[in-house]
Amino acid sequence: GTIYVGSTNDLYAFNSDGTVRWIFDTIGIVYSSPAIGPDGTIYVGSSNSYLNAVNPDGTLKWKYYAPGGITSCPAVGIDGTVYVGSDGSNLYAVNPDGTLKWNYHTTGWVRSSPALGTDGTIYVGCDDYNLYAMAPDGTTKWKFKAGRDIYGSPAVGADGTIYVGSIDSCFYAVNPDGVMKWKY
């Protein structure tokens, strides 16, 4: 029943009746929604380049520095790995204890929120026109080139099709092997 929302320099936790449960100072602007891990940890990035892991009571669990600022929502895997992109042109995989599992350097800002496939594949868009499919170990499975930047977050359908929009005014459906199914 707790509602989490970010704002300028803060993450708020509200009770379902609208009263404030706690406020966590992120020391940077929160541009996106937080993600909740399987253990109740709240993950939120901010413009000051930190991915914050916040305990359910509003105290800091850990923070990870991701140069360039974080403007997208993190995604949490079933093993607790936290995936988040940065304006420093990286996709990060951070272990549940706050240590780096791996990072992948792209050629553009990663403002898209990652989406997770049922097989653990991480899908994320980038302003280098690519939709990336990353294996859980951080290796590239494939890249799909759109007509322009991909800032929106991909969605994965029940059949594994990846759906994503681009600022080229197209909406793409991409097969799990990285081949375009169709575009609108």
Side-chain angles (χ1 to χ4, degrees):
T2 304
I3 302 146
Y4 301 102
V5 64
S7 71
T8 305
N9 300 325
D10 291 311
L11 173 66
Y12 287 84
F14 291 98
N15 295 307
S16 58
D17 66 2
T19 59
V20 175
R21 179 176 286 184
W22 50 256
I23 301 170
F24 176 81
D25 186 359
T26 59
I27 314 170
I29 300 168
V30 177
Y31 287 102
S32 67
S33 302
I36 311 296
D39 65 353
T41 301
I42 303 102
Y43 300 99
V44 66
S46 66
S47 63
N48 70 348
S49 301
Y50 281 99
L51 170 64
N52 300 281
V54 181
N55 291 307
D57 66 0
T59 59
L60 179 68
K61 185 173 191 174
W62 53 257
K63 61 183 178 177
Y64 181 81
Y65 183 67
I70 298 170
T71 58
S72 64
C73 181
V76 183
I78 57 171
D79 65 352
T81 302
V82 183
Y83 303 97
V84 69
S86 80
D87 283 358
S89 303
N90 285 288
L91 174 65
Y92 293 92
V94 181
N95 291 307
D97 65 1
T99 60
L100 180 66
K101 186 174 199 172
W102 53 260
N103 78 327
Y104 181 82
H105 185 71
T106 65
T107 58
W109 294 341
V110 182
R111 291 187 169 174
S112 165
S113 297
L116 305 176
T118 56
D119 64 352
T121 301
I122 303 101
Y123 301 100
V124 68
C126 186
D127 84 343
D128 65 4
Y129 301 16
N130 287 305
L131 171 66
Y132 290 87
M134 307 295 298
D137 66 1
T139 57
T140 307
K141 292 176 88 171
W142 50 259
K143 293 188 280 188
F144 171 78
K145 192 105 171 162
R148 289 284 308 273
D149 309 18
I150 299 174
Y151 291 131
S153 302
V156 183
D159 66 352
T161 301
I162 304 96
Y163 301 96
V164 69
S166 168
I167 65 169
D168 66 357
S169 299
C170 291
F171 183 67
Y172 295 91
V174 181
N175 288 309
D177 63 359
V179 175
M180 183 173 66
K181 191 179 235 182
W182 52 259
K183 75 176 179 178
Y184 175 82

